[in-house]
């Protein structure tokens, strides 16, 4: 498989794509107005839209991309 996903809540998902040569690209997206918990970012943070807390809580409409190489 080239990717996997995990449903985190109503309209919230984590997706992981394996990269050729190792590493992975991660997308964590809370596409609802409700606060949803996610695991910590893996690797380097590429982009964050919205806000997150130390405990993994994503505010509504928050999206995070990260890259682990």
């Amino acid at each position: 498989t080239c990717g996997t996903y995990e449903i985190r809540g109503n309209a919230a998902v984590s997706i992981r794509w394996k990269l050729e040569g190792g590493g992975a690209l991660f997308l964590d997206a809370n596409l609802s107005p409700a606060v949803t918990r996610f695991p910590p970012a893996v690797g380097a943070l590429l982009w964050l839209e919205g806000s997150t807390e130390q405990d993994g809580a994503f505010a509504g409409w928050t999206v995070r991309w990260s890259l682990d190489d």
Side-chain angles (χ1 to χ4, degrees), residues 2-69:
C2 67
T4 58
Y5 71 93
E6 183 174 342
I7 303 298
R8 300 276 175 198
N10 186 25
V13 64
S14 291
I15 305 170
R16 176 184 186 263
W17 291 274
K18 293 180 185 176
L19 302 176
E20 188 174 316
L25 177 66
F26 295 87
L27 169 63
D28 295 310
N30 180 11
L31 304 175
S32 77
V35 172
T36 304
R37 301 229 184 276
F38 286 83
V42 176
L45 178 64
L46 298 176
W47 184 66
L48 175 67
E49 181 71 29
S51 62
T52 63
E53 299 294 330
Q54 292 287 10
D55 64 358
F58 275 40
W61 314 113
T62 295
V63 176
R64 175 180 68 197
W65 287 90
S66 58
L67 179 65
D68 184 23
D69 52 318

